[in-house]
Amino acid sequence: MAKWGQGDPRWIVEEREDGTNVNNWHWTERDATSWSKGKFQDLLVGIVVENDAGRGEISELKQVEGEASCSSRKGKLIFFYEWYIKLGWKGIVKESGVKHKGLIEIPNLSEENEVDDTEVNVSKKKGDGDILKDLMKTAGTAKVRQALGDYLKALKTEFTTGMILPTKAMATQELTVKRKPSENTLQVQASSPVALGVRIPTVALHMMELFDTSVEQLYSIFTVKDLVQKFSKSTAVLEAEKGGKFQMFDGNITGEYLELLTNKKIVMKWRCRNWPEEHYATVALNFVPTLGQTELQLDCKGVPVCKEENMKFCWQKQHFEEIKGLLQLTPPKWLN
């Protein structure tokens, strides 16, 4: 392993403000637990099986315990997942019209077992209805395993988008050699250009906060340079007009104003310095007057999944709480 400070280009990531993982050399990890739980809900609930005797349907995701993650090292992806899943099913016997309920348990979905070998246990409540239980054990189990296979495919493709960044070698256009039909000479052509940048998984955030001040005063705190510098306790650059640029927190936050409706709404292109290069979120601030207060509604789209908690912290602690602290000062000290 290269020693720190000896100029190995693999360690250039430390020298970059954007923290880019050059050539995918460094270990990176992304938590897929929350994403996986949502995927299980989408893929498993609603599965229907039917035959001449009856009809069964998975009606509920009762319990999900475990975790999943994806790691990248030296350009390779490594997956870890271990799940216990409990589902509720319901069905009806066609001849009698009698309804029954039961459970489906998946005690160990993990990378140690193939999906086709994953244990799926089907049970039902007391009473008749073995016809439905048999239906869920056969056709139902097959569809459950198919859905689990779809989950793993999505984990390895959809969820990992952007984890393996393009290297210089990947970005170089491949040359192909083609012979013109009417000539004996060779023509060298470039293949389709490689798109710059990568798509990354993102999330949307919605936050709301009440401030003991007027709409006019709160709006000015976001658009007047001196006030921004006071609540952020750092230097700022602001051009509070459509198309104008801004920098806050000593350049750690940068962006552009897309829309300004005085005392009503601000829309911005917004990014943190440590986000992937050239990636911006869209932040919309709506100022809603209430009785003696102003409700600030924050809607943000395009936040990198791995930066979701940092984004929430930034707005709650570094914006909302600091602005409230500023508002507690007597008006002449900050409005003038």
Side-chain angles (χ1 to χ4, degrees), residues 8-202:
D8 191 318
R10 293 172 298 187
W11 298 98
I12 194 173
V13 62
E14 184 66 18
E15 300 171 6
R16 297 177 60 123
E17 290 185 351
D18 60 7
T20 300
N21 190 3
V22 178
N23 291 326
N24 305 291
W25 182 262
H26 297 285
W27 180 280
T28 60
E29 183 172 311
R30 184 179 293 168
D31 186 357
T33 302
S34 178
W35 175 89
S36 296
K37 291 179 179 180
K39 209 67 179 175
F40 289 138
Q41 177 74 30
D42 294 340
L43 292 173
L44 292 167
V45 177
I47 287 178
V48 174
V49 290
E50 188 172 5
N51 60 17
D52 293 338
R55 181 183 186 276
E57 176 183 355
I58 295 178
S59 56
E60 184 181 359
L61 183 61
K62 284 183 168 290
Q63 187 177 350
V64 181
E65 295 180 359
E67 59 183 322
S69 63
C70 177
S71 302
S72 170
R73 178 72 165 96
K74 298 182 182 180
K76 296 181 180 180
L77 294 175
I78 304 167
F79 297 93
F80 169 81
Y81 53 94
E82 188 170 21
W83 294 105
Y84 167 81
I85 303 171
K86 181 187 287 187
L87 305 162
W89 65 267
K90 62 183 180 180
I92 183 170
V93 179
K94 291 185 177 180
E95 183 177 352
S96 63
V98 175
K99 297 179 180 180
H100 293 276
K101 294 181 179 180
L103 298 175
I104 295 177
E105 290 185 276
I106 304 163
N108 183 29
L109 173 65
S110 72
E111 72 277 5
E112 297 178 356
N113 302 309
E114 297 292 333
V115 172
D116 290 343
D117 298 327
T118 299
E119 185 178 357
V120 179
N121 299 320
V122 178
S123 61
K124 70 170 185 64
K125 292 186 176 181
K126 294 181 179 180
D128 296 332
D130 287 338
I131 291 176
L132 292 177
K133 180 180 176 180
D134 291 342
L135 176 62
M136 297 305 294
K137 286 182 67 174
T138 52
T141 294
K143 283 202 172 185
V144 165
R145 286 179 174 151
Q146 181 181 343
L148 296 178
D150 291 340
Y151 157 72
L152 295 180
K153 290 178 184 177
L155 176 65
K156 295 176 180 180
T157 54
E158 175 187 326
F159 179 77
T160 59
T161 302
M163 287 195 71
I164 298 297
L165 304 177
T167 64
K168 291 182 179 179
M170 292 166 62
T172 302
Q173 294 184 1
E174 297 180 357
L175 296 179
T176 58
V177 180
K178 294 185 178 180
R179 185 181 298 274
K180 288 185 176 180
S182 58
E183 300 178 10
N184 292 326
T185 58
L186 293 178
Q187 179 186 17
V188 179
Q189 296 181 337
S191 64
S192 300
V194 178
L196 297 177
V198 293
R199 296 185 63 184
I200 61 174
T202 61

Side-chain angles (χ1 to χ4, degrees), residues 240-270:
E241 59 185 29
K242 186 175 181 179
K245 309 293 184 181
F246 64 83
Q247 292 184 13
M248 299 170 58
F249 298 96
D250 295 324
N252 284 300
I253 294 175
T254 57
E256 177 183 337
Y257 291 103
L258 301 179
E259 181 182 357
L260 295 101
L261 298 177
T262 303
N263 302 329
K264 292 183 179 180
K265 186 175 184 180
I266 301 173
V267 182
M268 303 169 281
K269 282 176 61 178
W270 200 98

